[in-house]
Amino acid sequence: MSAVRGGVVDVRFASHLPPLHHLLIADADTGDGEGDGAHADVRLEVMAQLDAHTVRCVAATPTAGLARGDAVRDSGAPLQVPVGRAVLGRVFDVFGDAIDGGGPVEADGHRSILQPPPALDRQAVSSEVLETGIKAIDVLAPLERGGKAGLFGGAGVGKTVLITELIHHMAARHRGVSLFCGIGERTREAEELVRDVRDAGVADDTVLVFGQMNEPPGARFRVGHTALTMAEWFRDDAHQDVLILIDNVFRFVQAGSEVSGLMGRLSSRMGYQPTMATELAELQERITSTADGAITAVQAVYVPADDFTDPAVEHAFGHLSATVVLSRDRAAQGLYPAIDPLRSTSSMLTPVAVGERHDRIAREVRQTLAVYDDLKDIIAMLGLEELSESDQLTVGRARRLERYLTQPFYVTEQFTGQEGKAVGIGDALADCERILADELADVSESNLYMIGTLEEAGL
């Protein structure tokens, strides 16, 4: 080892020069300097070859205890993680090591986390809706089986709660495999999620992979690749559908920016790394359907300062087939999930993909809510009574639709005291039709708040 600068380590080899992305392992003295002999492996990823004998690495573990002159060995391959059915119900770190106290994993094998996406001739070209049981998503922004959906929102608007609810619905409805990938998760959030998954009884169909907030950027940057490698085994070898939930893509970009800075690269627009588009594409292009199965991704994307023109957010948009935007205004009104119906979109919402009836109802719902949004300023200044009779009817429909699209979640039962509800697409569309036809004009708006179907609410 020739130099150690924080998370950047230069290693000199006399003859053999490791290829890019190989995993190197160093033995660090973590003792107290009194000769207690405590040691730990420091894992390094080769990121650049400086000359014929020197490579520059980024550490994926803390470098405390490393010193110039320490020996480093080449593992002979990129980072390998366990795959197979044995990973179900377990919690892993970026290296594929179990961190749930459940002992070692008897895996079917190990695979490199750096895999190419499926060839074009292996990818499925048909489009199919993935039903979630969440009314606002299924009606206005239906997810694509094998597609990528983004949950966009600032801090505290409900991204993690919505993702946890999706895990519950997927395990209960589709009996597929759910894989949660926490990139830059807080330790508190990780512990709560593990507990929620176990309490919900879906742990046996779920894999959790965490690269926590306190870990070096090299670990947070690669944890998404670890999760996808595990998911690809279920798709390609077990021929199962996989739902992968990523929280948070922005922190993946952030970790890449830190790695880029450590490597001394010049920053690009707004301080982001010049390789951001490539790094994001390398991760996203592995999420796809094949003839064997599908990997469907739901990705939370933190929007810094609620600025949707941020480069990280803009680049994420380009990879998605559905965008679910969470609104701080709706959250403040208590309309949960706080999904903005006018800004949430899906490429599946066409007559060909979802049918003419679904497309028509979704357009009428959006149009009604858009008219109400335009009238809000007039109502605030002059009052509802000053509107024309037709506008008053439209406002009534819109307010009932807003409240109908709220929904009690299974994962929040302990906080709200309300039993969680899942609603099929057919039921949700029929209920929206009834509201649009003014069948519930005489029903109080509050009766439509936080319910499942109208029939269940006795309406």
Side-chain angles (χ1 to χ4, degrees), residues 298-337:
V298 179
Q299 310 168 30
V301 184
Y302 169 66
V303 181
D306 292 338
D307 178 14
F308 281 84
T309 64
D310 186 271
V313 178
E314 283 185 341
H315 278 82
F317 264 121
H319 293 280
L320 304 174
S321 55
T323 57
V324 178
V325 178
L326 299 178
S327 160
R328 196 173 300 282
D329 289 341
R330 292 179 72 80
Q333 296 172 51
L335 300 173
Y336 291 105

Side-chain angles (χ1 to χ4, degrees), residues 33-34 72 100 134 228 304 410 418:
E34 301 296 328
V72 179
D100 54 6
I134 299 173
L228 273 174
Y410 290 95
Q418 288 184 287

Side-chain angles (χ1 to χ4, degrees), residues 442-453:
D442 298 328
V443 175
S444 172
E445 297 167 3
S446 60
N447 291 345
L448 278 68
Y449 179 70
M450 284 293 174
I451 62 172
T453 64

Side-chain angles (χ1 to χ4, degrees), residues 123-192:
Q123 296 187 21
V125 294
S126 60
S127 294
E128 183 182 335
V129 171
L130 182 75
E131 192 170 339
T132 67
I134 299 173
K135 294 180 285 189
I137 292 177
D138 287 343
V139 172
L140 298 173
L143 306 189
E144 179 184 5
R145 176 179 174 269
K148 296 179 275 286
L151 300 181
F152 291 84
V157 294
K159 297 186 298 298
T160 302
V161 171
L162 193 52
I163 276 186
T164 312
E165 184 73 3
L166 283 167
I167 291 178
H168 186 281
H169 284 310
M170 288 303 115
R173 279 172 166 264
H174 298 282
R175 288 297 167 195
V177 174
S178 295
L179 197 149
F180 179 87
C181 174
I183 304 176
E185 281 282 284
R186 300 172 184 87
T187 306
R188 168 185 58 79
E189 289 178 334
E191 188 275 330
E192 287 175 356

